C-alpha cells in the first residue's frame, strides 16, 4: 500500500522510520501502532435478536419510516389537513419530549447483539410510584457541591462516596433510587425504552446519543444521581468524583474503582472490565479496538493531543462541539446529516470501549450503552465528560457559545429526583452552573492546551501527495462502502484565507450520511493531506489526523441501521501540514472496526461562521 497511513488492524512489522527533530512534540512521531489481538474476534458480529429477525444489511429495509430524506416536520405541516387536533396534538411541537417514563416505557429492543449471553437485563423500565410528573423547580439551597478528581482525593471523600454507593446497592431492587434502577436509566434512554409518543410519533424511538441532546441529558442524569447519593448518606455537600483522564495523573482507571483486595468488598469495583486495561495501564483516548505498542510517555502526549482536538480543533463551533439538531420526528435513520459532537464521538466513546470487557458477549459493562450504568466508573467518566462542557466554555474562544435554538432549549427528560418525585427537566435549565449548585475542582485549562500537534517541517514532506489511489468526489458512487482505505480529493471553498477570515469562519470537513450497524462497535479515522514521505507512519498524534468517528452499540429504530455525520475542523490542520494553498484536500478514511456495514453518502468541505 502506498499509503503511509497504517490501519491499526494490520500488524506493523517494521519500525516506523520517522525522523526525529528537536521539537518538543516530536516524540509523537515515533508512536507505533500495533495490533496484538486478532481484530476479527473483537469486532461485534450482529446476531439478530429473536424478536427482531430481519436483514439489516440492506438499505432498503427501513422499518416504518418510508421517506428518509424529507424533513418529517415539513411533511406533517403539508399534510396537516389529514390530522385532527385531537389525534396529532403535538405533531408541531418540535423539541424532543420524553413521555411518562413509568407508563410509556418498553423493553430495550435493540443495541444488544447477543441477548442470550447478555449479563445485564434488557428489561430497563423504571418502577412506577403512580405519581404524576411534576415540573422541576431548583431547590432553594446555598451549598455548592464540588466534584473532585478521582485520582487525587481525601480519605474522607472516598469513604463517603463508597458509603453512598453501598447504600444505593443495599436498597430494594425496585426502589427508584436503587443501584439497579439507576443503571437501567441509561439503558431505557439509549436502547429504545421510550418513543416520541408525546410528540405524536409513537413509532419513533428517542435516542439521547449522537446529537445535541448528549451533553444536557447526561448532565441531568448525573445531577439527580449525585443528589440521591447525597441524600442516602444525609450529606448535602456530597459531590461525585470525576475521572480526570485529561490530566496525565488521571490517565489510568482510578485506584478507588479498582482496589478490591484490601478491606471489605469495594462497592466501586466492577468485574466486567477489560483485564488488559486495569491499573497501571495508561488510557488510550483514541482507542480503536487495537492495542498500541508504545510507551506511557508517548501515549500521554497522544492523549493530550486528542483532548486538544476534541475541544479546540474539532469543537470550534457550537454544532461541531454539541452535535447536530435533533427534533421530534427525527428517527435514527432519517436525517443523514445529524452530526455527532466532537467529544461524544472522540474521547467519550473511546473510554467506554477501552474499559468494557471484550470477553463478554456485548462488551459489558462500559462497552455497550445498555450495560454502562452498571459500572460505577461510568458516572465518574461522565462527570469528566460533563466537565469538558465547562472547560470548553471557559476557554473563552469565539465560537464556544451555548446553544440557543428553542428546539434545544425546550427538549425535556423525565427522572426520579432525590425525593422519589417524577420531574420533567429541560435543557434550558441545565447550562447555568449557578443554578445547578455543583462545580468542578478544576474548571479551566489543562495540560492539553499546549498539545496542538506540532507543525510538520517542510523537509519531512514529499513535494506532493501521491495521487495514484486518490479518487475525485465525482468518481465515487454514493453510498460508498468503507471496507478499505478510501482516499478522495475534496474541493475547498477557499484557499489561503487570511487570519482575519479564519477568526470569523471555520473550515470544516463534513462526512454525511454515515450508516452503520447500531449493534456493532464502529470506528474509522480521518487523515487529511498526508504528505509525509514514503515509509513513514502518520499517527493519531500528528497534524494530519483529523479525528475519528466511533460508536458503541446502541439502538437504532427497531433495527440496527443507524445514521450519523461527523465534522472535522480543518483550519489549524491545513496550517500545520503546510497545505493552506492547496485547491483540494486529500482525505483518507481509514476503517478500523465494524467496516463491513459502514457506508457514507457525502463528503464535502464548508465554511462555517463562528
Ligand atoms: Cu450515554 Cu457515555 O453514554
Amino acid at each position: 500500500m502506498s499509503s503511509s497511513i497504517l490501519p491499526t488492524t494490520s500488524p506493523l512489522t517494521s519500525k516506523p522510520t520517522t525522523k526525529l527533530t528537536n521539537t518538543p512534540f516530536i516524540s509523537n512521531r515515533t508512536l507505533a501502532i500495533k495490533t496484538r489481538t486478532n481484530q476479527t474476534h473483537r469486532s461485534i458480529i450482529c446476531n439478530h435478536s429473536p424478536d427482531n429477525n430481519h436483514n439489516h444489511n440492506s438499505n432498503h429495509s427501513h422499518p416504518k419510516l418510508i421517506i428518509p430524506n424529507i424533513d418529517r416536520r415539513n411533511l406533517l405541516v403539508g399534510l396537516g389537513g389529514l390530522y385532527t387536533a385531537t389525534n396529532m396534538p403535538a405533531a408541531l411541537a418540535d423539541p424532543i419530549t420524553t413521555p411518562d417514563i413509568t407508563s410509556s416505557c418498553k423493553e430495550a429492543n435493540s443495541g444488544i447483539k447477543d441477548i442470550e449471553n447478555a449479563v445485564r437485563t434488557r428489561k430497563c423500565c423504571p418502577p412506577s410510584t403512580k405519581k404524576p410528573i411534576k415540573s422541576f423547580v431548583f431547590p432553594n439551597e446555598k451549598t455548592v457541591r464540588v466534584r473532585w478528581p478521582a485520582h487525587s482525593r481525601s480519605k474522607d471523600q472516598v469513604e463517603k462516596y463508597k458509603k453512598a454507593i453501598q447504600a444505593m446497592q443495599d436498597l430494594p431492587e425496585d426502589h427508584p433510587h436503587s443501584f439497579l434502577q439507576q443503571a437501567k436509566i441509561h439503558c431505557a434512554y439509549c436502547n429504545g425504552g421510550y418513543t416520541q409518543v408525546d410528540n405524536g410519533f409513537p413509532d419513533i424511538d428517542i435516542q439521547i446519543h449522537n446529537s445535541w441532546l448528549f451533553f444536557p441529558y447526561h448532565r441531568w442524569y448525573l445531577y439527580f444521581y449525585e443528589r440521591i447519593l447525597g441524600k442516602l448518606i444525609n450529606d448535602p455537600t456530597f459531590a461525585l468524583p470525576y475521572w480526570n483522564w485529561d490530566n496525565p495523573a488521571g490517565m489510568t482507571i482510578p485506584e478507588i474503582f479498582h482496589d478490591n483486595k484490601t478491606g471489605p468488598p469495594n462497592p466501586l469495583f466492577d468485574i466486567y472490565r477489560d483485564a488488559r486495561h486495569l491499573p497501571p495501564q495508561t488510557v488510550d483516548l483514541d482507542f480503536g479496538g487495537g492495542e498500541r505498542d508504545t510507551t506511557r510517555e508517548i501515549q500521554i502526549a497522544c492523549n493530550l493531543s486528542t483532548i486538544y482536538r476534541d475541544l479546540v480543533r474539532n469543537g470550534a463551533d457550537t454544532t461541531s462541539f454539541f452535535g447536530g439538531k435533533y427534533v421530534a420526528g427525527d428517527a435514527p435513520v432519517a436525517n443523514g446529516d445529524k452530526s455527532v459532537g466532537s467529544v461524544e464521538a472522540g474521547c467519550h466513546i473511546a473510554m467506554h470501549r477501552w474499559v468494557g470487557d471484550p470477553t463478554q458477549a456485548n462488551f459489558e459493562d462500559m462497552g455497550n450503552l445498555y450495560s454502562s450504568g452498571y459500572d460505577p466508573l461510568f458516572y465518574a467518566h461522565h462527570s469528566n465528560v460533563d466537565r469538558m462542557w465547562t472547560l470548553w466554555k471557559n476557554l473563552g474562544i469565539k465560537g464556544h457559545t451555548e446553544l440557543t435554538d428553542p428546539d434545544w432549549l425546550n427538549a425535556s427528560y423525565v427522572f426520579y429526583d432525590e425525593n422519589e418525585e417524577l420531574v420533567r427537566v429541560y435543557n434550558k435549565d441545565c447550562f447555568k452552573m449557578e443554578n445547578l449548585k455543583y462545580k468542578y475542582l478544576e474548571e479551566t485549562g489543562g495540560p492539553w492546551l499546549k498539545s496542538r500537534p506540532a507543525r510538520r517541517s517542510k523537509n519531512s514532506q514529499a513535494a506532493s501527495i501521491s495521487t495514484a489511489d486518490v479518487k475525485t468526489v465525482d468518481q465515487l458512487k454514493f453510498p460508498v462502502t468503507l471496507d478499505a482505505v478510501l482516499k478522495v480529493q475534496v474541493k475547498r471553498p477557499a484557499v489561503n484565507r487570511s487570519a482575519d477570515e479564519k477568526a470569523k469562519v471555520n473550515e470544516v470537513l463534513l462526512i454525511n450520511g454515515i450508516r452503520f450497524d447500531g449493534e456493532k462497535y464502529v470506528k474509522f479515522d480521518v487523515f487529511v493531506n498526508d504528505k509525509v514521505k514514503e515509509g513513514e507512519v502518520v499517527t493519531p498524534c500528528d497534524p494530519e489526523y483529523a479525528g475519528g468517528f466511533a460508536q458503541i452499540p446502541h439502538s437504532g429504530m427497531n433495527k440496527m441501521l443507524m445514521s450519523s455525520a461527523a465534522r472535522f475542523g480543518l483550519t489549524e490542520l491545513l496550517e500545520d501540514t503546510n497545505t493552506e494553498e492547496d485547491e483540494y484536500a486529500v482525505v483518507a478514511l481509514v476503517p478500523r472496526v465494524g467496516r463491513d456495514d459502514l457506508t457514507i453518502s457525502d463528503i464535502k468541505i464548508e465554511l462555517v461562521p463562528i
Side-chain angles (χ1 to χ4, degrees), residues 120 186 243 245 253 270 272-274 348-357 360 362-382 385 552-553:
R120 306 299 186 184
H186 199 248
W243 181 8
W245 33 248
I253 290 180
D270 182 23
Y272 299 117
R273 292 182 187 146
D274 191 329
H348 158 254
I349 287 293
M351 282 300 86
H352 269 279
R353 183 51 179 244
W354 190 82
V355 176
D357 182 353
Q360 293 304 315
N362 303 289
F363 295 78
E364 288 93 346
D365 281 316
M366 279 279 275
N368 193 307
L369 296 181
Y370 97 97
S371 53
S372 283
Y374 291 85
D375 190 338
L377 187 53
F378 165 80
Y379 305 89
H381 173 47
H382 267 277
V385 169
I552 56 173

Side-chain angles (χ1 to χ4, degrees), residues 279-530:
Q281 185 63 32
T282 308
V283 303
D284 177 358
L285 290 177
D286 189 62
F287 186 61
E291 298 296 298
R292 295 184 205 279
D293 185 11
T294 190
T295 64
R296 174 167 165 87
E297 194 192 3
I298 293 169
Q299 185 63 62
I300 287 173
C302 277
N303 286 341
L304 295 175
S305 296
T306 298
I307 303 285
Y308 181 87
R309 192 183 306 111
D310 289 350
L311 266 74
V312 181
R313 214 164 80 170
N314 290 340
D317 59 85
T318 304
T319 303
S320 296
F321 180 75
F322 286 99
K325 184 166 179 144
Y326 170 50
V327 291
D330 286 345
V333 292
N335 283 2
D337 48 7
K338 183 181 76 190
S339 62
V340 57
S342 55
V343 169
E344 182 183 356
C347 54
H348 158 254
I349 287 293
M351 282 300 86
H352 269 279
R353 183 51 179 244
W354 190 82
V355 176
D357 182 353
T359 68
Q360 293 304 315
N362 303 289
F363 295 78
E364 288 93 346
D365 281 316
M366 279 279 275
N368 193 307
L369 296 181
Y370 97 97
S371 53
S372 283
Y374 291 85
D375 190 338
L377 187 53
F378 165 80
Y379 305 89
H381 173 47
H382 267 277
S383 176
N384 207 40
V385 169
D386 183 70
R387 185 171 151 266
M388 293 301 123
W389 182 358
T390 300
L391 295 187
W392 178 83
K393 196 157 138 189
N394 289 347
L395 284 174
I397 298 176
K398 183 163 183 280
H400 288 209
T401 48
E402 301 284 9
L403 282 151
T404 52
D405 189 323
D407 288 339
W408 183 82
L409 294 170
N410 296 313
S412 65
Y413 324 96
V414 178
F415 289 97
Y416 274 112
D417 72 2
E418 67 274 23
N419 303 313
E420 290 167 68
E421 298 290 348
L422 273 183
V423 289
R424 178 174 299 284
V425 290
Y426 292 86
N427 285 350
K428 63 182 172 213
D429 290 322
C430 80
F431 62 93
K432 294 200 182 107
M433 296 306 288
E434 47 304 356
N435 294 335
L436 295 166
K437 295 275 187 283
Y438 74 82
K439 63 199 273 288
Y440 292 97
L441 192 65
E442 289 160 315
E443 297 199 319
T444 49
W448 50 269
L449 266 174
K450 296 194 193 79
S451 296
R452 175 172 172 173
R455 186 169 189 148
R456 177 73 64 205
S457 96
K458 286 199 177 148
N459 294 339
S460 69
Q461 293 181 303
S464 60
I465 302 168
S466 128
T467 49
D469 46 356
V470 177
K471 301 215 164 48
T472 64
V473 174
D474 289 343
Q475 283 169 338
L476 298 177
K477 282 209 180 55
F478 291 111
V480 180
T481 304
L482 275 192
D483 52 1
V485 176
L486 173 71
K487 283 190 176 184
V488 53
Q489 59 174 41
V490 188
K491 181 106 167 84
R492 294 175 55 210
V495 299
N496 282 329
R497 298 190 305 133
S498 69
D500 216 37
E501 278 165 21
K502 287 182 195 167
K504 290 193 205 114
V505 181
N506 196 28
E507 187 167 350
V508 182
L509 171 69
L510 305 173
I511 300 177
N512 287 340
I514 306 168
R515 291 189 168 220
F516 53 92
D517 180 339
E519 294 197 335
K520 283 187 181 174
Y521 179 45
V522 175
K523 186 170 192 279
F524 68 85
D525 290 344
V526 180
F527 296 83
V528 176
N529 291 344
D530 169 18

Side-chain angles (χ1 to χ4, degrees), residues 144-354:
V144 175
R145 301 158 193 263
V146 185
R147 295 188 182 172
W148 42 283
H151 70 277
S152 130
R153 68 284 163 180
S154 72
K155 212 172 152 232
D156 189 47
Q157 279 168 323
V158 176
E159 264 164 26
K160 277 186 185 165
Y161 181 43
K162 286 188 177 174
K163 198 171 145 206
I165 297 282
Q166 189 63 57
M168 199 174 236
Q169 290 174 351
D170 292 344
L171 286 172
E173 285 196 348
D174 59 355
H175 192 289
H177 294 168
S178 74
F179 186 81
L180 178 71
Q181 297 302 337
Q182 289 297 306
K184 285 180 175 185
I185 292 174
H186 199 248
C187 166
Y189 269 99
C190 315
N191 293 69
Y194 308 122
T195 67
Q196 299 174 20
V197 60
D198 279 21
N199 291 112
F201 299 102
D203 294 335
I204 305 181
D205 284 349
I206 289 180
Q207 174 55 262
I208 42 71
H209 296 93
N210 282 307
S211 77
W212 67 9
L213 296 190
F214 174 75
F215 276 110
Y217 166 79
H218 290 88
R219 174 165 283 182
W220 279 123
Y221 182 6
L222 260 64
Y223 175 83
F224 292 114
Y225 181 78
E226 180 173 68
R227 300 179 69 86
I228 290 167
L229 287 171
K231 183 152 186 195
L232 283 168
I233 57 165
N234 216 346
D235 178 357
T237 69
F238 174 84
L240 285 172
Y242 54 93
W243 181 8
N244 197 185
W245 33 248
D246 52 312
N247 177 339
M251 287 183 188
T252 49
I253 290 180
E255 221 22 76
I256 59 168
F257 291 91
H258 172 60
D259 177 27
N260 202 31
K261 303 216 172 62
T262 52
N266 180 0
L268 308 179
F269 179 79
D270 182 23
I271 189 168
Y272 299 117
R273 292 182 187 146
D274 191 329
R276 301 164 306 172
H277 296 159
L278 303 175
Q281 185 63 32
T282 308
V283 303
D284 177 358
L285 290 177
D286 189 62
F287 186 61
E291 298 296 298
R292 295 184 205 279
D293 185 11
T294 190
T295 64
R296 174 167 165 87
E297 194 192 3
I298 293 169
Q299 185 63 62
I300 287 173
C302 277
N303 286 341
L304 295 175
S305 296
T306 298
I307 303 285
Y308 181 87
R309 192 183 306 111
D310 289 350
L311 266 74
V312 181
R313 214 164 80 170
N314 290 340
D317 59 85
T318 304
T319 303
S320 296
F321 180 75
F322 286 99
K325 184 166 179 144
Y326 170 50
V327 291
D330 286 345
V333 292
N335 283 2
D337 48 7
K338 183 181 76 190
S339 62
V340 57
S342 55
V343 169
E344 182 183 356
C347 54
H348 158 254
I349 287 293
M351 282 300 86
H352 269 279
R353 183 51 179 244
W354 190 82

Side-chain angles (χ1 to χ4, degrees), residues 562-578:
M562 291 284 295
S563 174
S564 188
R567 297 159 70 95
F568 302 97
L570 292 184
T571 308
E572 289 189 3
L573 184 150
L574 298 166
E575 289 173 4
D576 296 342
T577 55
N578 308 307

